[in-house]
């Protein structure tokens, strides 16, 4: 198979590397050559085998699947197949050539074949006969097939045959099937590349090239279209698979750019910044362990010290054993390059200030202090997958003490939280600003009136509600505007915040701070209904010897209900999370300066 040239790939993908985040990483022509062939990280492999065997033991001791209950998600079964295959195929495993494991593999593959539709697909939750979800299953099954074909144990001949049938059936769905979201395209392409490496067919390559011809979007900030930690890890893994199996190293240039971005998005304890995601993880806590295989592969491939640093960081996280060691052995066996020890020192300067202008997100680290500023929600704000709508504009950490988020809300027509229309950076000052508008409406002009009053069901021009009012034909009047400006100045990790809310008078203003649950609150605070109001002076949050100070306080009202907007409260929804909630409150015209350090 002839690989595409770098120029042709860039033409197809619309990539420009001029804005790459790191200029000192050179992609040589031998990107896919093995630089350390024959070497092995012995201690890591021992841990992988030990933990994989423990996972196999739990599978063998687990309850059998109830045949009377229909399965709606097959990734756990597929993962189990991969884990068991790794142990039964590894001579150093206690389950090498195990009859019990062989029987369990027969059962698991039998279930997948039984539930596979005639078109090659599987169901996944609410997604019926889903090509992309079947591709996620193949992400596990194809490496298992590689190991079984390589080992060729006689008593596993039937298992190999069943897996081949499942993969080839699924391959037909990959050739013709559609997708829902941007990342699905590359997951399907990776599945096709894996199938082709096992059972070559030019139709697989043709379909891959159809998808690649659309172009792989990555912006100057190093983000894919979904700007999501969950799906960036997915895409990076898919592109690495294609680069390896199709001999297309150009794809690694994209992975490189995204992984550099997620270095800046990683907190010292492994938490990922997710506030700017356009998918469900914008309200989730994630660990960087999702990127482990990607960072390890690229650290070995590029010798970039940043990637080596990330590998070392992940391997030292308490979550590493459960998240990675317990089910990654098969991937290390299938792609033996992962077994190599890192050949570059991971020591780097980890103090930085990085502004991602397209995402309107700033990341700053000063020693133990780490902070995130965000003003890049999609406008208008809508609550739907694929749109950025998280109202957290500031997150701040000092060691163990964590401000999970700061938000601002007003009672202005119950329109909810402040959502900045971008960020302006002036030196070490970041300016966030939003204008909210609420309208009233005049009587319809004569030509639009109806005797029966049956007018078009339509959305109000300010987007707050729907009614049979034919709003588009009405003149707006009594228009009210509220302008909120937040200026944040950073100095060696300490923040000065200047809040101004202008518009109609006597509007309630609420600054909301949510600290981690175990924190102790100190200062001149009033507690009301499990909420804390800083009345004056400085407040302190203390945890495990680390202290965050904030203030001075202001407490002019205690109404912290309905902060979310009617879009949530109408459905009894809320964005409030667990934690210690501290409030500073006042009325418009509102001007308050405070410090956070």
């Amino acid at each position: 198979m002839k690989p595409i040239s770098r120029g042709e790939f860039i033409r197809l993908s619309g990539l420009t590397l001029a804005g790459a985040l790191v200029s000192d990483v050179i992609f040589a022509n031998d990107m896919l050559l093995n630089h350390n062939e024959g070497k092995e990280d012995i201690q890591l492999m021992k841990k992988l085998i030990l933990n994989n065997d423990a996972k196999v033991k739990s599978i063998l001791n687990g309850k059998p699947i109830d045949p009377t209950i229909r399965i709606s998600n097959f990734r756990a079964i597929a993962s189990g197949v991969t884990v068991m295959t790794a142990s039964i195929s590894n001579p150093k495993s206690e389950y090498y050539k195990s009859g019990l494991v062989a029987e369990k593999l027969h059962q698991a593959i039998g279930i997948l074949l039984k539930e596979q539709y005639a078109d090659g697909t599987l169901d996944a939750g609410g997604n019926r006969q889903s090509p992309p979800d079947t591709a996620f299953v193949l992400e596990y099954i194809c490496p298992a097939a590689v190991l079984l074909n390589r080992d060729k144990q006689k008593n596993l001949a039937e298992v190999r045959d069943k897996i081949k049938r499942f993969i080839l059936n699924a391959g037909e769905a990959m050739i013709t099937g559609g997708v829902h979201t941007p990342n699905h395209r590359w997951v399907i392409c990776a599945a096709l590349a894996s199938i082709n490496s096992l059972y070559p067919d030019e139709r697989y390559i043709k379909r891959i090239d159809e998808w690649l011809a659309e172009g792989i979007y990555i912006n100057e900030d190093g983000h894919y279209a979904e700007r999501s930690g969950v799906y960036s890890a997915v895409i990076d893994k898919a592109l690495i698979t294609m680069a390896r199996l199709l001999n297309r190293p150009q794809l690694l240039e994209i992975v490189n750019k995204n992984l550099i971005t997620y270095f800046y998005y990683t907190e010292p304890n492994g938490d990922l910044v997710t506030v700017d995601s356009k998918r469900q993880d914008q309200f989730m806590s994630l660990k960087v362990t999702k990127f482990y295989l990607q960072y390890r592969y690229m650290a070995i491939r590029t010798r970039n010290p940043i990637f080596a640093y990330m590998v070392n960081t992940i391997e030292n996280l308490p979550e590493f054993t459960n998240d990675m060691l317990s089910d990654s052995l098969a991937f290390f066996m299938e792609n033996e390059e992962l077994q190599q020890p890192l050949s570059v020192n991971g020591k780097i300067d980890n103090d930085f200030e990085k502004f991602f202008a397209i995402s309107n997100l700033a990341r700053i680290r000063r020693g133990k202090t780490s902070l995130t500023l965000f003003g890049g929600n999609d406008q208008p704000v809508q609550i739907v997958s694929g749109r950025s709508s998280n109202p957290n504009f500031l997150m701040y950490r000092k060691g163990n003490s964590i401000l999970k988020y700061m938000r601002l809300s007003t009672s202005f027509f119950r329109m909810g939280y402040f959502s900045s229309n971008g960020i302006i950076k002036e030196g070490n000052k970041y300016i966030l600003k939003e204008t909210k508008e609420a309208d009233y409406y005049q009587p319809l002009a004569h030509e639009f009136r109806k005797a029966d009053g049956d007018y078009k069901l339509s959305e109000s021009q300010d987007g707050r509600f729907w009614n049979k009012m034919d709003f588009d034909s009405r003149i707006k009047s009594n228009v009210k505007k509220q302008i909120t400006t937040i200026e944040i100045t950073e100095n060696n990790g300490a923040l000065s915040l200047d809040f101004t809310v202008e518009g109609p008078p006597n509007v309630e203003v609420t600054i909301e701070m949510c600290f981690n649950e175990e924190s102790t609150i100190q200062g001149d605070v009033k507690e009301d209904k499990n909420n804390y109001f800083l009345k004056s002076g400085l407040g302190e949050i203390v945890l495990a010897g680390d202290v965050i100070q904030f203030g001075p306080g202001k407490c002019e009202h205690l109404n912290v209900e309905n902060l979310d907007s009617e879009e949530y409260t109408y459905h009894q929804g809320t964005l409030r999370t667990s934690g210690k909630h501290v409030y500073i409150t006042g009325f418009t015209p509102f001007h308050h300066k405070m410090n956070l350090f």
Side-chain angles (χ1 to χ4, degrees), residues 202-478:
E202 63 182 14
R203 296 180 304 154
Y204 301 143
I205 305 302
K206 182 180 178 181
R207 185 62 165 177
I208 289 171
D209 288 335
E210 278 188 76
W211 286 118
L212 282 177
E214 292 189 359
I216 302 171
Y217 175 83
I218 188 166
N219 64 26
E220 292 304 307
D221 282 349
H223 279 302
Y224 300 119
E226 292 163 291
R227 208 164 69 187
S228 158
V230 168
Y231 296 111
S232 290
V234 166
I235 295 171
D236 289 341
K237 186 183 292 185
L239 296 183
I240 288 171
T241 297
M242 284 190 277
R244 285 196 307 115
L245 300 181
L246 301 176
N247 190 27
R248 298 189 183 186
Q250 303 89 345
L251 295 170
L252 297 180
E253 298 183 15
I254 310 171
V255 176
N256 177 79
K257 193 171 183 179
N258 183 253
L259 291 181
I260 290 291
T261 293
Y262 275 92
F263 157 73
Y264 291 110
Y265 271 56
T266 302
E267 299 286 8
N269 71 343
D271 288 347
L272 283 178
V273 172
T274 61
V275 64
D276 60 335
S277 172
K278 294 175 181 284
R279 298 298 304 278
Q280 67 270 23
D281 54 313
Q282 64 183 281
F283 295 107
M284 293 166 57
S285 294
L286 296 179
K287 289 291 182 181
V288 72
T289 48
K290 290 181 175 293
F291 287 88
Y292 174 64
L293 296 176
Q294 300 88 317
Y295 275 120
R296 185 172 185 87
Y297 179 82
M298 292 296 286
I300 293 167
R301 182 55 54 194
T302 69
R303 301 178 182 177
N304 186 334
I306 289 179
F307 297 160
Y309 166 83
M310 293 301 291
V311 170
N312 293 333
T313 295
I314 295 170
E315 289 181 349
N316 284 287
L317 293 176
E319 295 84 4
F320 179 63
T321 297
N322 184 64
D323 290 356
M324 297 308 305
L325 288 179
S326 62
D327 58 6
S328 292
L329 176 61
F331 303 114
F332 277 75
M333 293 171 63
E334 184 259 342
N335 176 16
E336 294 179 349
E337 188 170 355
L338 290 171
Q339 299 180 24
Q340 298 173 14
L342 302 188
S343 60
V344 63
N345 192 311
K347 292 183 179 179
I348 59 172
D349 182 7
N350 206 12
D351 274 29
F352 56 78
E353 178 176 2
K354 187 72 177 178
F355 181 45
F356 296 91
I358 298 174
S359 305
N360 285 287
L361 182 141
R363 286 281 296 148
I364 302 173
R365 181 169 299 153
R366 313 291 188 200
K368 290 178 66 175
T369 300
S370 175
L371 63 101
T372 306
L373 304 176
F374 178 57
N377 281 339
D378 293 315
Q379 302 291 339
V381 175
Q382 293 179 322
I383 316 305
V384 65
S385 180
R387 302 279 290 182
S388 171
S389 59
N390 193 314
N392 304 347
F393 65 84
L394 169 63
M395 287 65 66
Y396 188 91
R397 298 176 178 226
K398 186 182 287 185
N400 295 296
S401 199
I402 299 174
L403 170 62
K404 295 166 71 173
Y405 58 78
M406 180 182 285
R407 301 169 177 169
L408 183 145
S409 184
T410 75
S411 61
F412 181 79
F413 291 87
R414 298 297 181 205
M415 295 179 75
Y417 285 112
F418 166 84
S419 177
S420 183
N421 188 20
I423 295 180
I424 297 172
K425 187 179 188 301
E426 296 180 353
N428 63 339
K429 178 189 291 186
Y430 294 85
I431 303 170
L432 297 84
K433 191 171 185 178
E434 179 201 43
T435 300
K436 280 185 164 72
E437 180 179 299
D439 313 320
Y440 294 89
Y441 300 92
Q442 291 294 308
L444 285 167
H446 182 270
E447 62 267 28
F448 299 117
R449 296 173 189 165
K450 294 182 178 181
D452 62 1
D454 187 12
Y455 297 105
K456 181 177 67 174
L457 177 66
S458 60
E459 184 180 17
S460 64
Q461 294 181 46
D462 56 19
R464 293 191 297 124
F465 46 80
W466 286 74
N467 264 311
K468 291 177 70 65
M469 291 279 288
D470 191 8
F471 288 110
D472 291 340
S473 299
R474 297 178 185 271
I475 296 173
K476 296 190 295 185
S477 70
N478 310 87

Side-chain angles (χ1 to χ4, degrees), residues 135-175:
F136 279 113
V137 168
L138 288 167
E139 186 179 301
Y140 296 101
I141 297 301
C142 287
V146 170
L147 300 186
L148 290 171
N149 291 349
R150 188 183 294 165
D151 196 46
K152 286 188 167 52
Q153 294 179 32
K154 291 182 179 180
N155 66 326
L156 295 178
E158 187 178 347
V159 171
R160 288 195 296 274
D161 180 64
K162 284 182 176 180
I163 282 187
K164 181 177 181 179
R165 273 192 287 142
F166 176 84
I167 291 174
L168 291 176
N169 290 343
E172 297 304 307
M174 299 300 99
I175 291 171

Side-chain angles (χ1 to χ4, degrees), residues 532-547:
Y532 299 87
F533 295 83
L534 183 62
K535 296 191 291 183
S536 64
L538 290 178
E540 288 187 351
I541 287 291
V542 183
L543 182 61
D546 293 316
V547 180

Side-chain angles (χ1 to χ4, degrees), residues 83-137:
V83 167
M84 289 187 288
T85 298
S87 283
I88 203 172
S89 304
N90 193 305
K92 296 180 181 179
S93 165
E94 66 174 285
Y95 293 105
Y96 182 54
K97 295 185 177 181
S98 164
L100 282 175
V101 174
E103 180 57 33
K104 201 74 172 179
L105 276 171
H106 274 286
Q107 295 171 8
I109 296 298
I111 291 170
L112 292 177
L113 279 171
K114 177 176 176 291
E115 299 297 335
Q116 191 175 37
Y117 289 101
D119 67 354
T121 60
L122 294 168
D123 293 331
N127 295 337
R128 317 313 294 174
Q129 296 174 260
S130 170
D133 288 292
T134 305
F136 279 113
V137 168

